Amino acid sequence: MKLILFRHGLAVDRVKFLDEKKEDALRPLVSKGKQKTLEMARRLEDWVPDFDLIVTSPFLRSLQTAQILAKELKLGNLFESAELVPSAPVMAFVQWLHVHAEECRAVLVVGHEPHLSSLAGWCLTGQKESFIELKKSGMIALEIESFAKLRPGTAQLLWHVSPKQFED
C-alpha cells in the first residue's frame, strides 16, 4: 500500500494576509504555487498511476492543491478532513486512515507542515518529531502494510522529492 504525503503549494504570504485581518485558513495559492503543483502532479502520475482516494485539509490552500491534483490525476474521490489542519494531532489522522482508507491500495494526502512530516516520522520510526523537511508542493511516498493496520515505525520510505529537484 502507498501513502503519498503532498504539501500544499505556495500560498499568499501569511504575515501580509494576517495583517489584513484575514483568517489563515483562507489563504489561497498564488500562480506559482498552482504551476508547481501541476508540474509535480504530472510527475506523480508517472510514479503512482492509480489512487483510491485523495484527502485534504479543509484550509483553502490545501483544498486548491488537492483540486489541481485530482483534476490532473483524474481522481473523483476527494475528501476533506479536519484531522489534517496544521494544529491537529498526528494520531487523529492515523485514526481517520484506519476508518476511511481500510480497503485502499494508494492514498494521496494533501496538507501542511510540520503535520505531514510528523506523520511521516511516526510512520517510519514511531517518533512524532519531524525529521524530514517537506517543501511546498513536495511529496513523500511511504510503503505500508495496510491502512487499517497502520502502526508506528512500520512504513518504508520510497522517495522524497521537492519541485526544486526538477528545475533546469
Side-chain angles (χ1 to χ4, degrees):
M1 313 291 168
K2 290 186 176 39
L3 178 62
I4 309 301
L5 308 177
F6 196 107
R7 185 176 179 191
H8 66 77
L10 182 64
V12 170
D13 182 76
R14 177 189 310 194
V15 174
K16 181 179 176 183
F17 205 72
L18 296 177
D19 283 348
E20 294 173 0
K21 307 291 186 234
K22 297 179 183 175
E23 287 184 48
D24 182 53
L26 300 177
R27 277 194 303 130
L29 294 179
V30 296
S31 294
K32 183 178 179 181
K34 293 175 183 176
Q35 183 58 40
K36 292 288 183 190
T37 296
L38 182 58
E39 291 169 12
M40 294 301 279
R42 290 178 178 150
R43 294 190 182 279
L44 180 57
E45 189 172 29
D46 292 336
W47 300 335
V48 185
D50 296 312
F51 285 96
D52 297 298
L53 65 89
I54 179 171
V55 58
T56 181
S57 158
F59 281 25
L60 182 58
R61 58 194 177 273
S62 288
L63 186 57
Q64 289 176 322
T65 299
Q67 289 168 337
I68 293 167
L69 291 164
K71 183 177 179 183
E72 185 64 25
L73 299 170
K74 298 170 185 66
L75 298 172
N77 295 330
L78 175 61
F79 297 93
E80 289 183 40
S81 173
E83 291 82 355
L84 286 170
V85 298
S87 60
V90 167
M91 291 310 300
F93 186 66
V94 170
Q95 290 300 319
W96 189 97
L97 285 171
H98 287 176
V99 172
H100 299 284
E102 185 177 12
E103 302 294 323
C104 294
R105 295 176 322 274
V107 174
L108 177 55
V109 178
V110 181
H112 311 269
E113 278 296 279
H115 191 264
L116 292 179
S117 59
S118 295
L119 174 61
W122 181 86
C123 291
L124 291 165
T125 68
Q127 302 299 311
K128 292 182 187 171
E129 290 83 31
S130 175
F131 62 90
I132 297 174
E133 184 180 7
L134 188 56
K135 297 290 188 182
K136 291 180 175 91
S137 295
M139 300 179 276
I140 297 171
L142 303 174
E143 181 75 33
I144 62 172
E145 182 182 333
S146 87
F147 291 100
K149 298 176 184 174
L150 183 58
R151 300 290 179 261
T154 59
Q156 292 182 345
L157 179 65
L158 298 176
W159 39 262
H160 170 217
V161 295
S162 71
K164 193 166 247 176
Q165 291 175 270
F166 302 104
E167 292 178 0
D168 292 336

